[in-house]
Amino acid sequence: MKIDIQHIAKLAGLRIEEDQQPRFIRDMEEILAMAGDLPDTAELTAPEPDPMVLREDVVTADPLERDLLLQNAPEVLAGCVVVPKTVQQ
Amino acid sequence: MELYEQTASVLSEMLRRRECSAQELLISVQERIGEMEPRIGAYLTFSGDAMQQARAVDEARARGESLHPLAGIPIAVKDNISTKGLRTTCASRMLEDYIPPYDATVIQKLKAAGMVILGKTNMDEFAMGSSTETSYFHPTCNPHRIGYSAGGSSGGSAAAVAAGETILALGSDTGGSVRQPAAFCGIAGLKPTYGSVSRYGLVAYASSFDQIGPMGRSVKDIAMLCSLISGHDPMDATSVKREFPDLAPALRPEISGMRIGIPKELFNNSISDEIRDCVMNALRQLESMGAVLKEISLPLTKYAVNTYYILACAEASSNLARFDGVRYGYRAQGCQSLAELYERTRSEGFGEEVKRRILLGTFVLSAGYYETYYQKARAVQRRIRQEYAESFRDCDLIAAPSAPCSAFRLGESSSPAERYRTDLCTVPANLAGLPAISIPCGVTGTGLPAGLQLIGTWFAEQQLLNAAHAYERQTGGFPAPVKGGAV
């Protein structure tokens, strides 16, 4: 099992510095060698447990206030969360 | 005997008879915290209003109001459970300054009952680890022996209970994170049946396994707290709609005739000799009290750790995608684009173990590997569940060690895969959604506690607690808090 750490990190929204890559690769290969040891699923038939019961999709008055929620935001302007510019010129 | 040394059930009676006040009790526990905390490091944050909470209970009692039996009892809360206005970090840099705008359902219940929330306890970062060493802040020491781990991921909660720095605690158990630290610290800890306790407000690690559980120094204490936090909650779609009986009043030391299955796969050479001896001695004790021991086989146990890590990491990679530096939590500075903001925030905000599990989860869900890993693991999980269901036709309970060894030495070097393998005793109950309790069953030669794990069938918490209570009574109760002289 060979891990393309840069590809996986990209998918995961992570950046793994070059000097750390060999260690991450080694650990992940060791873990996957262990975890990949599973019996053939063709021999394994078992029912799915009961499905979740979802509540009615009804809009209710949310007690969470905008100001309270924004208190945790790293950067706020005029009641909105600020992020770097997303539109390319 | 100091107040902090008592159990919640004894203190409940003392408070009711006005032999002490909630404020006196709180002072006793807080003084104990002052004495022990520099050596243990169980807490991350203390409540600023604990004395107000205690005073409110005393005043309500003085007015003759009818109070919950746990009113006025101090409790410590694992730092992945949201507490309105009280910092909740998950022991991560990512949430170092996060103040939840709402209470988890379990916290609403503690507050409604008048329990006194002391503060938030240390843990492995996002509950990923088994020694509290992945905490961004500091590790938690085992009160029985400084230099050894309190276990994890609910290590702060377990150590606080064992050191007398609280009376009760809440932990969360995804792959053994209540039971293993309970075993390492010589206390009792229960993982309830999946779906019994609302996960609303519990910061998600692996949602299909996560379950909040009570930790304490007696089975009755565990029973009282378990009943308080259980119950259907429309805010959690996996919460089960059923009646949850009041466990403590029905607690009986019943063991006679109970059939206890002993799975040979959890007593083999993966378990240290000392731990196996402690657990077998406890089981012989139960046998002498009338339990019927039966050797059983659960062949798929050998795949449990593998299955667990594939599924838990897959869920974690999805759950932790929300930490992007936009709405709350850590944000990397000086980013020029949104993509850079996401990537750098996550890389700087998460520790190594969290990154490793996110990467693993992303890998097993990625194109070309999903069928080989994730889908296969899901099939094995269903089969493990079925294997347990079949075993419970011939057994009332299943017994195992809570961990294959006693507490790790802090700083002990082992590869991640080696460390993951030490979860072999606890992950099966999570994969199958079963209730399981860890109770103290002796100490090893190094003076570190061993834990006996009892696993029950779905929603059989009463039976599980009755058996644990029978053992507790027979052995004269579980150890009192570790005295000041932890070495």
Side-chain angles (χ1 to χ4, degrees), chain A residues 12-13 15 23 30 34 37 39 41 46 48 55 72-74 81-82, chain B residues 99 234 303 306 326-328 331 343 346-347 352 373 376 378 382 415:
Chain A
R15 184 180 293 183
R23 197 178 66 241
E30 193 193 342
M34 172 187 85
D37 176 22
T41 44
E48 274 281 3
R55 66 178 183 272
N72 279 298
V81 170
V82 178
Chain B
I99 313 249
Y303 300 115
N306 305 357
V326 173
R327 293 145 299 151
Y328 51 84
R331 173 184 284 198
E343 222 175 73
R346 292 164 61 74
S347 302
E352 188 176 310
Y373 291 95
K376 220 169 174 183
R378 283 283 289 133
R382 291 202 294 277
S415 76

PDB file of all heavy atoms in Angstrom, chain A residues 12-13 15 23 30 34 37 39 41 46 48 55 72-74 81-82, chain B residues 99 234 303 306 326-328 331 343 346-347 352 373 376 378 382 415:
ATOM      1  N   ALA A  12      -8.441  16.383   2.138  1.00  0.00           N
ATOM      2  CA  ALA A  12      -8.836  16.599   3.532  1.00  0.00           C
ATOM      3  C   ALA A  12      -8.743  18.067   3.937  1.00  0.00           C
ATOM      4  O   ALA A  12      -9.040  18.409   5.083  1.00  0.00           O
ATOM      5  CB  ALA A  12      -7.949  15.754   4.451  1.00  0.00           C
ATOM      6  N   GLY A  13      -8.321  18.937   3.030  1.00  0.00           N
ATOM      7  CA  GLY A  13      -8.166  20.351   3.380  1.00  0.00           C
ATOM      8  C   GLY A  13      -7.060  20.553   4.394  1.00  0.00           C
ATOM      9  O   GLY A  13      -7.171  21.365   5.305  1.00  0.00           O
ATOM     10  N   ARG A  15      -2.603  20.703   5.030  1.00  0.00           N
ATOM     11  CA  ARG A  15      -1.299  20.855   4.400  1.00  0.00           C
ATOM     12  C   ARG A  15      -0.299  20.123   5.289  1.00  0.00           C
ATOM     13  O   ARG A  15      -0.204  20.424   6.477  1.00  0.00           O
ATOM     14  CB  ARG A  15      -0.969  22.338   4.335  1.00  0.00           C
ATOM     15  CG  ARG A  15       0.314  22.658   3.610  1.00  0.00           C
ATOM     16  CD  ARG A  15       0.570  24.154   3.601  1.00  0.00           C
ATOM     17  NE  ARG A  15      -0.419  24.892   2.800  1.00  0.00           N
ATOM     18  CZ  ARG A  15      -0.349  26.215   2.608  1.00  0.00           C
ATOM     19  NH1 ARG A  15       0.604  26.922   3.165  1.00  0.00           N
ATOM     20  NH2 ARG A  15      -1.260  26.828   1.874  1.00  0.00           N
ATOM     21  N   ARG A  23       6.978  10.744   7.914  1.00  0.00           N
ATOM     22  CA  ARG A  23       6.434  10.146   9.138  1.00  0.00           C
ATOM     23  C   ARG A  23       4.951   9.833   8.985  1.00  0.00           C
ATOM     24  O   ARG A  23       4.492   8.768   9.375  1.00  0.00           O
ATOM     25  CB  ARG A  23       6.668  11.084  10.327  1.00  0.00           C
ATOM     26  CG  ARG A  23       6.517  10.345  11.640  1.00  0.00           C
ATOM     27  CD  ARG A  23       6.781  11.191  12.866  1.00  0.00           C
ATOM     28  NE  ARG A  23       5.787  12.237  13.008  1.00  0.00           N
ATOM     29  CZ  ARG A  23       6.088  13.535  13.005  1.00  0.00           C
ATOM     30  NH1 ARG A  23       7.319  13.927  12.883  1.00  0.00           N
ATOM     31  NH2 ARG A  23       5.141  14.444  13.136  1.00  0.00           N
ATOM     32  N   GLU A  30       1.441   1.780   8.127  1.00  0.00           N
ATOM     33  CA  GLU A  30       1.403   0.763   9.189  1.00  0.00           C
ATOM     34  C   GLU A  30      -0.039   0.539   9.673  1.00  0.00           C
ATOM     35  O   GLU A  30      -0.488  -0.592   9.859  1.00  0.00           O
ATOM     36  CB  GLU A  30       2.298   1.192  10.363  1.00  0.00           C
ATOM     37  CG  GLU A  30       2.549   0.058  11.349  1.00  0.00           C
ATOM     38  CD  GLU A  30       3.155   0.528  12.681  1.00  0.00           C
ATOM     39  OE1 GLU A  30       3.689   1.650  12.736  1.00  0.00           O
ATOM     40  OE2 GLU A  30       3.065  -0.227  13.658  1.00  0.00           O
ATOM     41  N   MET A  34      -2.585  -2.828   9.135  1.00  0.00           N
ATOM     42  CA  MET A  34      -3.318  -3.475  10.228  1.00  0.00           C
ATOM     43  C   MET A  34      -4.816  -3.457   9.946  1.00  0.00           C
ATOM     44  O   MET A  34      -5.475  -4.494   9.928  1.00  0.00           O
ATOM     45  CB  MET A  34      -3.023  -2.738  11.546  1.00  0.00           C
ATOM     46  CG  MET A  34      -3.865  -3.202  12.717  1.00  0.00           C
ATOM     47  SD  MET A  34      -3.624  -2.172  14.199  1.00  0.00           S
ATOM     48  CE  MET A  34      -4.777  -0.849  13.894  1.00  0.00           C
ATOM     49  N   ASP A  37      -6.794  -5.622   7.302  1.00  0.00           N
ATOM     50  CA  ASP A  37      -6.994  -7.057   7.501  1.00  0.00           C
ATOM     51  C   ASP A  37      -8.436  -7.293   7.965  1.00  0.00           C
ATOM     52  O   ASP A  37      -8.740  -7.273   9.150  1.00  0.00           O
ATOM     53  CB  ASP A  37      -5.993  -7.569   8.550  1.00  0.00           C
ATOM     54  CG  ASP A  37      -6.228  -9.041   8.880  1.00  0.00           C
ATOM     55  OD1 ASP A  37      -6.831  -9.749   8.043  1.00  0.00           O
ATOM     56  OD2 ASP A  37      -5.831  -9.469   9.989  1.00  0.00           O
ATOM     57  N   PRO A  39     -12.162  -9.706   7.029  1.00  0.00           N
ATOM     58  CA  PRO A  39     -12.636 -10.881   6.299  1.00  0.00           C
ATOM     59  C   PRO A  39     -13.425 -10.463   5.061  1.00  0.00           C
ATOM     60  O   PRO A  39     -13.893  -9.331   4.973  1.00  0.00           O
ATOM     61  CB  PRO A  39     -13.545 -11.581   7.310  1.00  0.00           C
ATOM     62  CG  PRO A  39     -13.974 -10.513   8.248  1.00  0.00           C
ATOM     63  CD  PRO A  39     -12.865  -9.522   8.301  1.00  0.00           C
ATOM     64  N   THR A  41     -16.211  -9.710   2.642  1.00  0.00           N
ATOM     65  CA  THR A  41     -17.588  -9.304   2.958  1.00  0.00           C
ATOM     66  C   THR A  41     -18.625 -10.216   2.307  1.00  0.00           C
ATOM     67  O   THR A  41     -19.760 -10.247   2.744  1.00  0.00           O
ATOM     68  CB  THR A  41     -17.850  -7.856   2.503  1.00  0.00           C
ATOM     69  OG1 THR A  41     -17.300  -7.689   1.217  1.00  0.00           O
ATOM     70  CG2 THR A  41     -17.268  -6.868   3.459  1.00  0.00           C
ATOM     71  N   ALA A  46     -25.495  -9.660   7.190  1.00  0.00           N
ATOM     72  CA  ALA A  46     -26.173  -9.311   8.445  1.00  0.00           C
ATOM     73  C   ALA A  46     -27.065  -8.123   8.134  1.00  0.00           C
ATOM     74  O   ALA A  46     -26.731  -7.280   7.303  1.00  0.00           O
ATOM     75  CB  ALA A  46     -25.152  -8.942   9.509  1.00  0.00           C
ATOM     76  N   GLU A  48     -28.998  -4.569   8.338  1.00  0.00           N
ATOM     77  CA  GLU A  48     -28.715  -3.218   8.834  1.00  0.00           C
ATOM     78  C   GLU A  48     -29.554  -3.008  10.086  1.00  0.00           C
ATOM     79  O   GLU A  48     -30.710  -3.417  10.117  1.00  0.00           O
ATOM     80  CB  GLU A  48     -29.149  -2.176   7.789  1.00  0.00           C
ATOM     81  CG  GLU A  48     -28.105  -1.865   6.739  1.00  0.00           C
ATOM     82  CD  GLU A  48     -27.017  -0.918   7.213  1.00  0.00           C
ATOM     83  OE1 GLU A  48     -27.024  -0.523   8.383  1.00  0.00           O
ATOM     84  OE2 GLU A  48     -26.127  -0.616   6.388  1.00  0.00           O
ATOM     85  N   ARG A  55     -36.922  13.800  13.031  1.00  0.00           N
ATOM     86  CA  ARG A  55     -38.031  14.598  13.518  1.00  0.00           C
ATOM     87  C   ARG A  55     -38.682  15.320  12.337  1.00  0.00           C
ATOM     88  O   ARG A  55     -38.096  15.428  11.258  1.00  0.00           O
ATOM     89  CB  ARG A  55     -37.558  15.595  14.578  1.00  0.00           C
ATOM     90  CG  ARG A  55     -36.616  16.663  14.076  1.00  0.00           C
ATOM     91  CD  ARG A  55     -36.245  17.623  15.191  1.00  0.00           C
ATOM     92  NE  ARG A  55     -35.391  18.688  14.704  1.00  0.00           N
ATOM     93  CZ  ARG A  55     -34.064  18.625  14.649  1.00  0.00           C
ATOM     94  NH1 ARG A  55     -33.440  17.541  15.049  1.00  0.00           N
ATOM     95  NH2 ARG A  55     -33.349  19.631  14.183  1.00  0.00           N
ATOM     96  N   ASN A  72     -18.150  34.253  18.469  1.00  0.00           N
ATOM     97  CA  ASN A  72     -17.067  33.301  18.258  1.00  0.00           C
ATOM     98  C   ASN A  72     -16.388  33.455  16.902  1.00  0.00           C
ATOM     99  O   ASN A  72     -15.404  32.783  16.628  1.00  0.00           O
ATOM    100  CB  ASN A  72     -17.602  31.868  18.383  1.00  0.00           C
ATOM    101  CG  ASN A  72     -17.734  31.434  19.831  1.00  0.00           C
ATOM    102  OD1 ASN A  72     -16.744  31.375  20.549  1.00  0.00           O
ATOM    103  ND2 ASN A  72     -18.949  31.160  20.265  1.00  0.00           N
ATOM    104  N   ALA A  73     -16.930  34.300  16.044  1.00  0.00           N
ATOM    105  CA  ALA A  73     -16.358  34.422  14.700  1.00  0.00           C
ATOM    106  C   ALA A  73     -15.036  35.173  14.759  1.00  0.00           C
ATOM    107  O   ALA A  73     -14.912  36.167  15.476  1.00  0.00           O
ATOM    108  CB  ALA A  73     -17.339  35.142  13.786  1.00  0.00           C
ATOM    109  N   PRO A  74     -14.027  34.711  14.013  1.00  0.00           N
ATOM    110  CA  PRO A  74     -12.712  35.356  14.064  1.00  0.00           C
ATOM    111  C   PRO A  74     -12.743  36.797  13.554  1.00  0.00           C
ATOM    112  O   PRO A  74     -12.001  37.629  14.041  1.00  0.00           O
ATOM    113  CB  PRO A  74     -11.841  34.479  13.149  1.00  0.00           C
ATOM    114  CG  PRO A  74     -12.555  33.186  13.018  1.00  0.00           C
ATOM    115  CD  PRO A  74     -14.007  33.486  13.171  1.00  0.00           C
ATOM    116  N   VAL A  81     -19.823  37.541   8.814  1.00  0.00           N
ATOM    117  CA  VAL A  81     -18.499  36.946   8.969  1.00  0.00           C
ATOM    118  C   VAL A  81     -17.639  37.371   7.782  1.00  0.00           C
ATOM    119  O   VAL A  81     -18.094  37.335   6.643  1.00  0.00           O
ATOM    120  CB  VAL A  81     -18.628  35.405   9.020  1.00  0.00           C
ATOM    121  CG1 VAL A  81     -17.259  34.752   8.940  1.00  0.00           C
ATOM    122  CG2 VAL A  81     -19.345  34.975  10.292  1.00  0.00           C
ATOM    123  N   VAL A  82     -16.418  37.786   8.069  1.00  0.00           N
ATOM    124  CA  VAL A  82     -15.521  38.232   6.999  1.00  0.00           C
ATOM    125  C   VAL A  82     -14.588  37.088   6.599  1.00  0.00           C
ATOM    126  O   VAL A  82     -14.020  36.419   7.462  1.00  0.00           O
ATOM    127  CB  VAL A  82     -14.681  39.438   7.473  1.00  0.00           C
ATOM    128  CG1 VAL A  82     -13.711  39.885   6.380  1.00  0.00           C
ATOM    129  CG2 VAL A  82     -15.589  40.575   7.896  1.00  0.00           C
TER     130      VAL A  82
ATOM    131  N   ILE B  99     -16.451  29.753  22.959  1.00  0.00           N
ATOM    132  CA  ILE B  99     -17.453  29.819  24.040  1.00  0.00           C
ATOM    133  C   ILE B  99     -18.801  29.415  23.434  1.00  0.00           C
ATOM    134  O   ILE B  99     -19.369  30.187  22.638  1.00  0.00           O
ATOM    135  CB  ILE B  99     -17.563  31.248  24.606  1.00  0.00           C
ATOM    136  CG1 ILE B  99     -16.174  31.817  24.875  1.00  0.00           C
ATOM    137  CG2 ILE B  99     -18.514  31.280  25.809  1.00  0.00           C
ATOM    138  CD1 ILE B  99     -15.768  32.028  26.268  1.00  0.00           C
ATOM    139  N   PRO B 234     -35.458  15.090  20.781  1.00  0.00           N
ATOM    140  CA  PRO B 234     -35.711  15.333  19.352  1.00  0.00           C
ATOM    141  C   PRO B 234     -34.542  16.021  18.648  1.00  0.00           C
ATOM    142  O   PRO B 234     -34.473  16.007  17.417  1.00  0.00           O
ATOM    143  CB  PRO B 234     -36.954  16.231  19.345  1.00  0.00           C
ATOM    144  CG  PRO B 234     -37.179  16.666  20.741  1.00  0.00           C
ATOM    145  CD  PRO B 234     -36.415  15.771  21.661  1.00  0.00           C
ATOM    146  N   TYR B 303     -11.156  -8.653  14.520  1.00  0.00           N
ATOM    147  CA  TYR B 303     -11.267  -7.594  13.512  1.00  0.00           C
ATOM    148  C   TYR B 303     -11.835  -6.287  14.084  1.00  0.00           C
ATOM    149  O   TYR B 303     -12.028  -5.320  13.353  1.00  0.00           O
ATOM    150  CB  TYR B 303     -12.166  -8.045  12.354  1.00  0.00           C
ATOM    151  CG  TYR B 303     -11.657  -9.274  11.645  1.00  0.00           C
ATOM    152  CD1 TYR B 303     -12.373 -10.462  11.678  1.00  0.00           C
ATOM    153  CD2 TYR B 303     -10.456  -9.236  10.946  1.00  0.00           C
ATOM    154  CE1 TYR B 303     -11.904 -11.601  11.027  1.00  0.00           C
ATOM    155  CE2 TYR B 303      -9.980 -10.357  10.299  1.00  0.00           C
ATOM    156  CZ  TYR B 303     -10.702 -11.540  10.340  1.00  0.00           C
ATOM    157  OH  TYR B 303     -10.237 -12.647   9.701  1.00  0.00           O
ATOM    158  N   ASN B 306      -9.610  -3.051  13.849  1.00  0.00           N
ATOM    159  CA  ASN B 306      -9.468  -2.646  12.442  1.00  0.00           C
ATOM    160  C   ASN B 306     -10.750  -1.979  11.945  1.00  0.00           C
ATOM    161  O   ASN B 306     -10.720  -0.908  11.331  1.00  0.00           O
ATOM    162  CB  ASN B 306      -9.164  -3.861  11.563  1.00  0.00           C
ATOM    163  CG  ASN B 306      -7.943  -4.620  12.038  1.00  0.00           C
ATOM    164  OD1 ASN B 306      -7.302  -4.195  12.987  1.00  0.00           O
ATOM    165  ND2 ASN B 306      -7.614  -5.719  11.397  1.00  0.00           N
ATOM    166  N   VAL B 326     -13.826  29.900   9.601  1.00  0.00           N
ATOM    167  CA  VAL B 326     -14.729  30.951   9.118  1.00  0.00           C
ATOM    168  C   VAL B 326     -15.650  31.464  10.227  1.00  0.00           C
ATOM    169  O   VAL B 326     -15.625  32.641  10.562  1.00  0.00           O
ATOM    170  CB  VAL B 326     -15.557  30.456   7.914  1.00  0.00           C
ATOM    171  CG1 VAL B 326     -16.616  31.488   7.517  1.00  0.00           C
ATOM    172  CG2 VAL B 326     -14.640  30.176   6.728  1.00  0.00           C
ATOM    173  N   ARG B 327     -16.446  30.578  10.813  1.00  0.00           N
ATOM    174  CA  ARG B 327     -17.503  31.043  11.729  1.00  0.00           C
ATOM    175  C   ARG B 327     -17.090  31.049  13.193  1.00  0.00           C
ATOM    176  O   ARG B 327     -17.608  31.789  13.999  1.00  0.00           O
ATOM    177  CB  ARG B 327     -18.757  30.194  11.552  1.00  0.00           C
ATOM    178  CG  ARG B 327     -19.412  30.374  10.211  1.00  0.00           C
ATOM    179  CD  ARG B 327     -20.016  29.085   9.722  1.00  0.00           C
ATOM    180  NE  ARG B 327     -18.976  28.074   9.562  1.00  0.00           N
ATOM    181  CZ  ARG B 327     -19.173  26.781   9.688  1.00  0.00           C
ATOM    182  NH1 ARG B 327     -20.349  26.325   9.989  1.00  0.00           N
ATOM    183  NH2 ARG B 327     -18.176  25.921   9.527  1.00  0.00           N
ATOM    184  N   TYR B 328     -16.201  30.143  13.570  1.00  0.00           N
ATOM    185  CA  TYR B 328     -15.749  30.070  14.969  1.00  0.00           C
ATOM    186  C   TYR B 328     -14.427  29.323  15.000  1.00  0.00           C
ATOM    187  O   TYR B 328     -14.036  28.681  14.025  1.00  0.00           O
ATOM    188  CB  TYR B 328     -16.778  29.373  15.866  1.00  0.00           C
ATOM    189  CG  TYR B 328     -17.239  28.034  15.341  1.00  0.00           C
ATOM    190  CD1 TYR B 328     -16.506  26.879  15.587  1.00  0.00           C
ATOM    191  CD2 TYR B 328     -18.404  27.925  14.587  1.00  0.00           C
ATOM    192  CE1 TYR B 328     -16.915  25.660  15.095  1.00  0.00           C
ATOM    193  CE2 TYR B 328     -18.830  26.708  14.093  1.00  0.00           C
ATOM    194  CZ  TYR B 328     -18.082  25.571  14.354  1.00  0.00           C
ATOM    195  OH  TYR B 328     -18.486  24.367  13.861  1.00  0.00           O
ATOM    196  N   ARG B 331      -8.290  30.785  13.454  1.00  0.00           N
ATOM    197  CA  ARG B 331      -8.154  31.194  12.051  1.00  0.00           C
ATOM    198  C   ARG B 331      -6.692  31.565  11.784  1.00  0.00           C
ATOM    199  O   ARG B 331      -6.112  32.375  12.506  1.00  0.00           O
ATOM    200  CB  ARG B 331      -9.056  32.396  11.752  1.00  0.00           C
ATOM    201  CG  ARG B 331      -8.819  32.956  10.354  1.00  0.00           C
ATOM    202  CD  ARG B 331      -9.633  34.197  10.061  1.00  0.00           C
ATOM    203  NE  ARG B 331     -11.021  33.857   9.785  1.00  0.00           N
ATOM    204  CZ  ARG B 331     -11.867  34.702   9.154  1.00  0.00           C
ATOM    205  NH1 ARG B 331     -11.452  35.895   8.759  1.00  0.00           N
ATOM    206  NH2 ARG B 331     -13.111  34.353   8.933  1.00  0.00           N
ATOM    207  N   GLU B 343      -6.991  25.587   4.473  1.00  0.00           N
ATOM    208  CA  GLU B 343      -5.866  24.664   4.597  1.00  0.00           C
ATOM    209  C   GLU B 343      -4.937  25.048   5.745  1.00  0.00           C
ATOM    210  O   GLU B 343      -4.554  24.202   6.548  1.00  0.00           O
ATOM    211  CB  GLU B 343      -5.103  24.662   3.273  1.00  0.00           C
ATOM    212  CG  GLU B 343      -4.676  23.287   2.835  1.00  0.00           C
ATOM    213  CD  GLU B 343      -4.028  23.336   1.462  1.00  0.00           C
ATOM    214  OE1 GLU B 343      -2.885  23.811   1.333  1.00  0.00           O
ATOM    215  OE2 GLU B 343      -4.704  22.909   0.520  1.00  0.00           O
ATOM    216  N   ARG B 346      -6.634  24.689   9.310  1.00  0.00           N
ATOM    217  CA  ARG B 346      -6.731  23.301   9.764  1.00  0.00           C
ATOM    218  C   ARG B 346      -5.356  22.719  10.095  1.00  0.00           C
ATOM    219  O   ARG B 346      -5.203  21.956  11.045  1.00  0.00           O
ATOM    220  CB  ARG B 346      -7.452  22.470   8.701  1.00  0.00           C
ATOM    221  CG  ARG B 346      -8.929  22.873   8.571  1.00  0.00           C
ATOM    222  CD  ARG B 346      -9.562  22.358   7.297  1.00  0.00           C
ATOM    223  NE  ARG B 346      -9.567  20.898   7.172  1.00  0.00           N
ATOM    224  CZ  ARG B 346     -10.365  20.094   7.845  1.00  0.00           C
ATOM    225  NH1 ARG B 346     -11.227  20.582   8.708  1.00  0.00           N
ATOM    226  NH2 ARG B 346     -10.324  18.786   7.669  1.00  0.00           N
ATOM    227  N   SER B 347      -4.362  23.118   9.314  1.00  0.00           N
ATOM    228  CA  SER B 347      -3.020  22.583   9.553  1.00  0.00           C
ATOM    229  C   SER B 347      -2.398  23.154  10.818  1.00  0.00           C
ATOM    230  O   SER B 347      -1.680  22.464  11.530  1.00  0.00           O
ATOM    231  CB  SER B 347      -2.123  22.873   8.350  1.00  0.00           C
ATOM    232  OG  SER B 347      -2.693  22.297   7.202  1.00  0.00           O
ATOM    233  N   GLU B 352      -1.244  16.584  15.684  1.00  0.00           N
ATOM    234  CA  GLU B 352      -0.812  15.506  14.786  1.00  0.00           C
ATOM    235  C   GLU B 352      -1.775  14.314  14.756  1.00  0.00           C
ATOM    236  O   GLU B 352      -2.081  13.778  13.689  1.00  0.00           O
ATOM    237  CB  GLU B 352       0.582  15.053  15.227  1.00  0.00           C
ATOM    238  CG  GLU B 352       1.201  14.085  14.270  1.00  0.00           C
ATOM    239  CD  GLU B 352       2.625  13.709  14.660  1.00  0.00           C
ATOM    240  OE1 GLU B 352       3.428  14.614  14.907  1.00  0.00           O
ATOM    241  OE2 GLU B 352       2.909  12.500  14.723  1.00  0.00           O
ATOM    242  N   TYR B 373     -12.117  -0.682   2.068  1.00  0.00           N
ATOM    243  CA  TYR B 373     -12.007  -0.364   3.489  1.00  0.00           C
ATOM    244  C   TYR B 373     -13.372  -0.066   4.121  1.00  0.00           C
ATOM    245  O   TYR B 373     -13.873  -0.842   4.931  1.00  0.00           O
ATOM    246  CB  TYR B 373     -11.055   0.825   3.703  1.00  0.00           C
ATOM    247  CG  TYR B 373      -9.625   0.494   3.406  1.00  0.00           C
ATOM    248  CD1 TYR B 373      -9.074   0.774   2.159  1.00  0.00           C
ATOM    249  CD2 TYR B 373      -8.813  -0.113   4.363  1.00  0.00           C
ATOM    250  CE1 TYR B 373      -7.751   0.457   1.884  1.00  0.00           C
ATOM    251  CE2 TYR B 373      -7.493  -0.424   4.093  1.00  0.00           C
ATOM    252  CZ  TYR B 373      -6.971  -0.142   2.856  1.00  0.00           C
ATOM    253  OH  TYR B 373      -5.662  -0.449   2.589  1.00  0.00           O
ATOM    254  N   LYS B 376     -16.389  -2.614   3.522  1.00  0.00           N
ATOM    255  CA  LYS B 376     -16.068  -3.892   4.152  1.00  0.00           C
ATOM    256  C   LYS B 376     -16.206  -3.773   5.679  1.00  0.00           C
ATOM    257  O   LYS B 376     -16.758  -4.636   6.339  1.00  0.00           O
ATOM    258  CB  LYS B 376     -14.628  -4.253   3.792  1.00  0.00           C
ATOM    259  CG  LYS B 376     -14.397  -5.708   3.496  1.00  0.00           C
ATOM    260  CD  LYS B 376     -13.003  -5.837   2.908  1.00  0.00           C
ATOM    261  CE  LYS B 376     -12.628  -7.281   2.712  1.00  0.00           C
ATOM    262  NZ  LYS B 376     -11.270  -7.422   2.205  1.00  0.00           N
ATOM    263  N   ARG B 378     -18.028  -1.729   7.356  1.00  0.00           N
ATOM    264  CA  ARG B 378     -19.445  -1.619   7.723  1.00  0.00           C
ATOM    265  C   ARG B 378     -20.084  -3.008   7.790  1.00  0.00           C
ATOM    266  O   ARG B 378     -20.890  -3.303   8.679  1.00  0.00           O
ATOM    267  CB  ARG B 378     -20.202  -0.734   6.717  1.00  0.00           C
ATOM    268  CG  ARG B 378     -19.958   0.732   6.893  1.00  0.00           C
ATOM    269  CD  ARG B 378     -20.719   1.332   8.076  1.00  0.00           C
ATOM    270  NE  ARG B 378     -22.155   1.408   7.813  1.00  0.00           N
ATOM    271  CZ  ARG B 378     -23.099   1.023   8.659  1.00  0.00           C
ATOM    272  NH1 ARG B 378     -22.762   0.513   9.829  1.00  0.00           N
ATOM    273  NH2 ARG B 378     -24.381   1.132   8.362  1.00  0.00           N
ATOM    274  N   ARG B 382     -21.685  -4.884  11.178  1.00  0.00           N
ATOM    275  CA  ARG B 382     -23.027  -5.486  11.309  1.00  0.00           C
ATOM    276  C   ARG B 382     -22.936  -6.927  11.787  1.00  0.00           C
ATOM    277  O   ARG B 382     -23.725  -7.386  12.589  1.00  0.00           O
ATOM    278  CB  ARG B 382     -23.759  -5.417   9.963  1.00  0.00           C
ATOM    279  CG  ARG B 382     -24.136  -4.017   9.558  1.00  0.00           C
ATOM    280  CD  ARG B 382     -25.276  -4.012   8.561  1.00  0.00           C
ATOM    281  NE  ARG B 382     -24.920  -4.605   7.279  1.00  0.00           N
ATOM    282  CZ  ARG B 382     -24.293  -3.939   6.297  1.00  0.00           C
ATOM    283  NH1 ARG B 382     -23.952  -2.675   6.461  1.00  0.00           N
ATOM    284  NH2 ARG B 382     -24.021  -4.537   5.162  1.00  0.00           N
ATOM    285  N   SER B 415       4.118   3.222  18.372  1.00  0.00           N
ATOM    286  CA  SER B 415       3.600   3.727  17.096  1.00  0.00           C
ATOM    287  C   SER B 415       2.093   3.862  17.228  1.00  0.00           C
ATOM    288  O   SER B 415       1.472   3.214  18.079  1.00  0.00           O
ATOM    289  CB  SER B 415       3.946   2.757  15.973  1.00  0.00           C
ATOM    290  OG  SER B 415       3.105   1.628  16.036  1.00  0.00           O
TER     291      SER B 415
END
